[in-house]
Amino acid sequence: VICSLISTDTSVIYLKVLSAFSRYFLSSPDAAKKLAATGSPKAFIEYLQKLRLEVKHTLSAEDVMQRDIKTVRLDEPISHALDIMAAEKAAELPVVNDTGELVGLISTEMIIRRAIPDYIMRLENLNFLSQFEPFEKVLKEETNTLIRDVMKRDLNNTVSPQTPLIQFTMRLLKEKENVLFVKQDAKLVGIISFMELVSNVLRG
């Protein structure tokens, strides 16, 4: 257990300290044991100084992002995506290839929109429609339609793990993105939404 004593109006300092220790604990399997074995406050501090464990001055995407991500693959049917969306209450899912690289996005809107004919989408008055059931087409084709045939491929809503807090916060606000995908060497490593800002910053 690590206890950090700070004032109530400096939660960001707490998050920075927590982030520094998290990076250390993830560095090796026995990192926690080595830290616990120091035995005294002085030895504890000296050990940290020897490690040069630094608290970053600003929070970045890797400190805030959600790491446990539900993904789907290119050649899976949209029925698989719908199953995950229903279970996770998720409106959209990232699409990755076999090596974990982010290649696109699929959403509930994309799946449902595919079932609506173009001529209906162009109509302004829909009051006369009562019999057309678009979901019948979705249910009929969901096991035979692949995610690669429905998904969006060109994604602009990506950031690197080192992107500062203010930058990705402003992107969420100004670009009206629901989510930002965090990529490291083309691979998806996390996601950031307003919920991550609430959970990990405002209520971290």
Side-chain angles (χ1 to χ4, degrees), residues 101-118:
E101 294 178 339
L102 179 67
V103 293
L105 170 74
I106 188 168
S107 68
T108 51
E109 179 186 352
M110 294 173 194
I111 295 173
I112 295 173
R113 183 181 293 271
R114 181 181 174 87
I116 309 294
D118 289 339

Side-chain angles (χ1 to χ4, degrees), residues 159-179:
V159 294
S160 72
Q162 293 75 38
T163 305
L165 173 66
I166 184 60
Q167 290 186 18
F168 61 75
T169 299
M170 292 307 298
R171 284 195 60 180
L172 285 170
L173 289 170
K174 295 181 69 175
E175 298 178 19
K176 297 181 179 180
E177 298 285 2
N178 294 324
V179 64

Side-chain angles (χ1 to χ4, degrees), residues 169-201:
T169 299
M170 292 307 298
R171 284 195 60 180
L172 285 170
L173 289 170
K174 295 181 69 175
E175 298 178 19
K176 297 181 179 180
E177 298 285 2
N178 294 324
V179 64
L180 295 174
F181 297 109
V182 186
K183 293 199 309 182
Q184 179 76 54
D185 299 327
K187 292 187 177 181
L188 180 66
V189 295
I191 62 172
I192 297 173
S193 67
F194 284 112
M195 186 52 65
E196 276 66 55
L197 297 182
V198 172
S199 301
N200 299 330
V201 179

Side-chain angles (χ1 to χ4, degrees), residues 69-88:
I69 317 161
K70 298 294 183 182
T71 63
V72 292
R73 297 181 184 272
L74 288 163
D75 293 323
E76 291 176 330
I78 61 172
S79 58
H80 180 62
L82 287 169
D83 289 341
I84 297 177
M85 289 169 173
E88 300 294 325

